[in-house]
Amino acid sequence: MMRPQDLLSRPGRLLGLLIPLLLLVWWQLSAGGGGTVLPPPSKVLQVLLHPGSDLLASGSILWSVSVSISRIVLGFICAVAVGVPVGLAMGGSRFYRRLLSVIVEMARPLSAIALLPLSIIIFRGDSLADLLGLRSLRYGRHILNELGLEMIFILFWGGVFPVILGTMQGVRSVRRMHLEVARVLGASRLHRFLHVMVPSALPDIFHGLRLGIGRCWMVIIAAEMLPGTNSGIGYLLRYSYQLSRYDVMLACVVVIAIIGAFFSKGLEALGERSLLLRSRER
């Protein structure tokens, strides 16, 4: 049975599509009137409807997206694996906060893209296939060969600091009354940390994760558009522009926007339960 709140939420969701639809109408009218060099939406749609077709002898959109997503997933996992424990330590301990705050604040403003040349020097252009000893894949088109360690490092760098700051802020914003009640009831320090502080901090942790995945997605697109890369959706966007294939270029822009929104909304949905729990706190 449909609930009343479901009916109320539908107009809000449809309202969010208003501006994209108006932009689509403007695009179609501009392309039809000859006032722009951009192709009409119908040509872009033809590219999107055949994601497995080889484009410009550089692979399909599906292949390019799979390369970019594989890179970002691996880099973001590394960022979460480091960022969450460091944020918990800095938020829960004054000693670790004093120890790490200076280095975090000094490293955070450094652009991940600016560190790409340094990471290439450090990792010498090795890929995950090289790290695993699968050097036979070096000259073939294989997903492991496209996961360059320098790319994973800059994705880690781009995503780790929002995760650290979000986690630290979440731990520090836990209400002291909750901790005092748990202490009075006999809970140990570890129990208070795991069962009071961490659950209360989850909304801020997920907010940091959303910011981190967004930064990772922007970093990988920018990195793939730089000279020297030969795969990924960012590379396909740059290459299609160089060949004046604007239908492919705009299709890449649409795909980048959709995937970025999917990442953000996915993490928002995962963190929704923790946000509801915080709203019921007293």
Side-chain angles (χ1 to χ4, degrees), residues 121-143:
I121 294 173
I122 294 174
F123 297 106
R124 299 173 297 176
D126 288 342
S127 66
L128 191 60
D130 298 320
L131 186 65
L132 297 175
L134 304 175
R135 296 189 177 274
S136 59
L137 301 177
R138 173 177 282 274
Y139 302 104
R141 178 174 287 184
H142 193 281
I143 194 68

Side-chain angles (χ1 to χ4, degrees), residues 79 82-84 86-88 90 104 159-169:
V82 173
V84 171
V86 171
L88 291 174
M90 293 180 68
V104 168
V160 70
F161 296 108
V163 176
I164 290 175
L165 296 179
T167 304
M168 181 179 67
Q169 177 62 31

